[in-house]
Amino acid sequence: MGTSGPKYQRIKDELRAEVARDEYVAGAPFITQNQLHERFGVSSTTAVRALNDLVAEGLLVRRRGLGTFVADPSDRTAEPASAHRSGVVACIISGQGPYQSEVLRGVESGCSERGLRLFFSDSAVRMTDTGHADHPASLARQDQALHQAVEDRVDGIILYPVRGAPDLDVLNETAGTSCGPSPGAGICPAPSTATSPWSTGSALYRGAGKRLPTSVAHALGLGGPL
Amino acid sequence: MGTSGPKYQRIKDELRAEVARDEYVAGAPFITQNQLHERFGVSSTTAVRALNDLVAEGLLVRRRGLGTFVADPSDRTAEPASAHRSGVVACIISGQGPYQSEVLRGVESGCSERGLRLFFSDSAVRMTDTGHADHPASLARQDQALHQAVEDRVDGIILYPVRGAPDLDVLNETAGTSCGPSPGAGICPAPSTATSPWSTGSALYRGAGKRLPTSVAHALGLGGPL
DNA sequence: TCCAATTTGTTCGTATGTATT
DNA sequence: AAATACATACGAACAAATTGG
C-alpha cells in the first residue's frame, strides 16, 4: 500500500502534486469523482471528500453537472511559491540520543547563522516500557512531519530518517510536491557510502540546483558537497 | 424555520446560532455526534459533516475520545480564521546538555500531540576553545529569537532562558507585543520555588487566561498548573 | 420540449479503527 | 477492561444541474 495515513489524505497529496507538476491546465476538465474512485480503488464517498477538501483549499472548483476543474491560479490563495522564500527549514530527526543532539545542534547553528528559522520535530516514538522504538508509529510520524513541512512551504527539509526505513516513495512524492511551480527541485542523497541513499541522513532543498548549506550538511555527517 | 436546503446546512445554522447565544461555555462539552443524530433525526454521516464544517470555521474543536467543544472565543474570529492562529510554538532553549535535551523532547512531544509546529532555537553561544558560554552573545541571541518569534506571530513561546540572565524587560515587552490584536496575553511565571519568575523555565502563551498545555509545562519541570 | 447521459450534491446505515476516560 | 466519542471508510440511492441530441 501507499505509505500511511488516511486514504483521502493520500489522494489529496497525489492530486496536489499533479497539479503542482502542471499536469492539468487551469480551466480544463480535471477528473470526475468516478475516475478517482476507480483509479484509487476507494469509495465515491472518499473520493468526494478528497475533492471537497481540495476545493476548500482553493485548488479545485467543482460545478455540479459539469465537472471538477483546476482553479484559476489567481484565485488560488497567494501562491507566488517559488519566488517567495519562507525562511524556514524543517528538521525531522528520529530519536534524541547524544548523536542526534549533536546533529540538531549543528543544524540549529547552521540555520541561525543564515537567519533561517527551524521547525523541529522528532519522529521517534518509544514504547512505554521497553524504551525500544516503535517503528511503524515512528514512520507514520515521519511521514506526517514531512507532509506538514510541505504544507508549510518550508524552503528545505533536513531529514534524519527513522532507522532502517528509507521509504523512498514519500520522499520523492514530497520532493515533487514541495517543488511547486519551480522546476527541478532536487533530492540530495547521502554519499555513496550509504547503502540506501536515505539511510544515513539526507536533505531536500527547494529550488533548482540548490545545495544544502555546508555547515548543515556537515552536521548531518555528510562530509562532501551534496 | 425549515429554511430549505441541505440538512447539514440547517444544522450548522442552528448550532452557530446557539453558540452565538452563549448557550455553551467555551471549553465545556458541546454535543456528541450521536446527540446530533438523535436530535435532528439525521444520519451520523450528516451530523459529522455539520460538525466538521464548523470545525473548519473555527467554531468548534473535536478531540477523538473526548468529544466536541466550543472553541476558545479568542481563536474564532469569524473570519477564515487560519490567519490568526499560526499553530506554531517557539521553543528557545539555552544550551543543549542532557537536561536541555530532555526538556526539548518533552516540548516536542507535547506540541506534536496537539498538532503544533515547533520553532526551535538555541540561544547558547560557546566560546570556541573554552566551551564556556558567552553570556552577552547568548543574551543577544535570546532576545533576537524572542523578537523573531513575536514577528512570526507564534501562538506560544517556551523559554528556557540563558543562565542567570532573567532580563524581565524583554520578556514583558515580548508579552505585550505577542498579543497583537487579541487582548490580555499573559505571562505565566514559574512557581514560587524559583527566586526569579524566569530563572527556571517559563512560558508565554497567547490569549487571555491561556494556560500552557500540561504536558509541555511538565516537560519544563513546572509541576503544578501555571 | 422532452429525453438521456454525465457529473456533482446530499443523505443514508453500517462497520471498523483509534484515542480518552 | 469497559464505555464513550471521534475518525475513516464503504456502497448505495436519489436529487439537481448541465449538455447535447
Side-chain angles (χ1 to χ4, degrees):
Chain A
M1 240 25 140
T3 52
S4 69
K7 294 185 181 180
Y8 73 89
Q9 280 292 359
R10 273 180 283 166
I11 296 179
K12 282 163 63 180
D13 291 344
E14 174 62 23
L15 294 185
R16 253 194 242 106
E18 287 178 6
V19 170
R21 269 187 253 117
D22 262 341
E23 295 184 10
Y24 300 92
V25 187
F30 190 49
I31 15 162
T32 72
Q33 57 195 47
N34 275 329
Q35 286 173 322
L36 260 200
H37 126 82
E38 285 171 10
R39 176 173 151 199
F40 289 93
V42 298
S43 72
S44 67
T45 322
T46 305
V48 166
R49 166 153 193 190
L51 289 176
N52 281 334
D53 280 9
L54 292 176
V55 167
E57 277 182 28
L59 191 68
L60 301 181
V61 174
R62 310 191 73 197
R63 270 186 288 217
R64 160 192 275 180
L66 282 179
T68 303
F69 309 85
V70 210
D72 228 336
S74 56
D75 293 342
R76 298 217 283 271
T77 47
E79 196 181 359
S82 58
H84 181 261
R85 288 271 165 70
S86 60
V88 177
V89 167
C91 180
I92 303 164
I93 283 189
S94 168
Q96 288 197 23
Y99 182 60
Q100 284 94 335
S101 286
E102 179 81 20
V103 169
L104 178 59
R105 178 184 321 174
V107 169
E108 197 280 335
S109 105
C111 288
S112 165
E113 285 169 18
R114 290 167 180 75
L116 293 168
R117 279 148 297 178
L118 181 64
F119 267 155
F120 167 64
S121 62
D122 179 8
S123 35
V125 173
R126 279 182 310 194
M127 304 295 274
T128 38
D129 297 321
T130 64
H132 288 12
D134 178 0
H135 285 218
S138 295
L139 236 192
R141 285 186 63 162
Q142 176 177 296
D143 287 359
Q144 212 243 330
L146 282 168
H147 187 250
Q148 179 145 65
V150 170
E151 282 196 348
D152 289 338
R153 304 184 184 286
V154 300
D155 290 334
I157 299 177
I158 317 288
L159 178 67
Y160 185 100
V162 171
R163 191 192 186 94
D167 207 347
L168 264 176
D169 286 343
V170 192
L171 296 169
N172 284 324
E173 196 176 301
T174 302
T177 314
S178 76
C179 227
S182 91
I187 300 183
C188 309
S192 52
T193 56
T195 54
S196 156
W198 293 100
S199 63
T200 309
S202 310
L204 298 169
Y205 205 67
R206 197 172 173 190
K210 203 78 179 203
R211 284 171 194 285
L212 198 64
T214 51
S215 72
V216 175
H218 188 265
L220 281 169
L222 309 176
L226 291 177
Chain B
M1 40 169 12
T3 51
S4 64
K7 295 186 184 179
Y8 74 89
Q9 204 56 265
R10 272 179 288 169
I11 296 179
K12 280 163 64 180
D13 291 343
E14 174 61 22
L15 293 185
R16 252 193 243 103
E18 288 179 6
V19 171
R21 266 186 259 117
D22 262 342
E23 295 185 10
Y24 300 92
V25 187
F30 191 49
I31 17 164
T32 71
Q33 56 195 47
N34 275 330
Q35 286 174 321
L36 261 199
H37 127 81
E38 285 172 11
R39 176 173 153 199
F40 288 92
V42 298
S43 72
S44 67
T45 320
T46 306
V48 165
R49 167 154 192 189
L51 290 177
N52 281 335
D53 281 10
L54 292 177
V55 167
E57 280 181 28
L59 190 69
L60 301 182
V61 174
R62 309 190 77 198
R63 271 186 284 191
R64 112 181 340 179
L66 283 180
T68 303
F69 308 85
V70 218
D72 233 330
S74 59
D75 293 342
R76 52 169 206 261
T77 41
E79 282 299 306
S82 55
H84 252 291
R85 261 205 353 185
S86 58
V88 177
V89 168
C91 180
I92 304 165
I93 283 189
S94 167
Q96 288 196 19
Y99 181 59
Q100 285 93 335
S101 286
E102 179 80 20
V103 169
L104 178 59
R105 177 183 322 173
V107 169
E108 195 280 335
S109 110
C111 288
S112 164
E113 284 169 16
R114 291 166 180 74
L116 293 168
R117 280 146 297 178
L118 181 64
F119 268 153
F120 167 64
S121 62
D122 179 9
S123 36
V125 174
R126 282 181 312 187
M127 303 296 275
T128 37
D129 296 321
T130 65
H132 286 14
D134 178 359
H135 284 218
S138 296
L139 238 192
R141 285 186 62 163
Q142 176 177 296
D143 287 359
Q144 211 245 328
L146 280 169
H147 280 122
Q148 179 142 67
V150 171
E151 279 189 1
D152 290 338
R153 310 189 129 268
V154 299
D155 290 333
I157 299 177
I158 316 288
L159 177 67
Y160 186 100
V162 172
R163 189 192 187 93
D167 205 349
L168 264 176
D169 288 343
V170 192
L171 296 169
N172 283 323
E173 193 177 304
T174 302
T177 316
S178 76
C179 230
S182 92
I187 301 183
C188 308
S192 51
T193 56
T195 54
S196 158
W198 292 100
S199 61
T200 309
S202 308
L204 296 170
Y205 206 67
R206 197 175 175 190
K210 203 81 175 207
R211 285 171 194 285
L212 197 64
T214 51
S215 71
V216 175
H218 188 265
L220 282 169
L222 309 177
L226 291 176

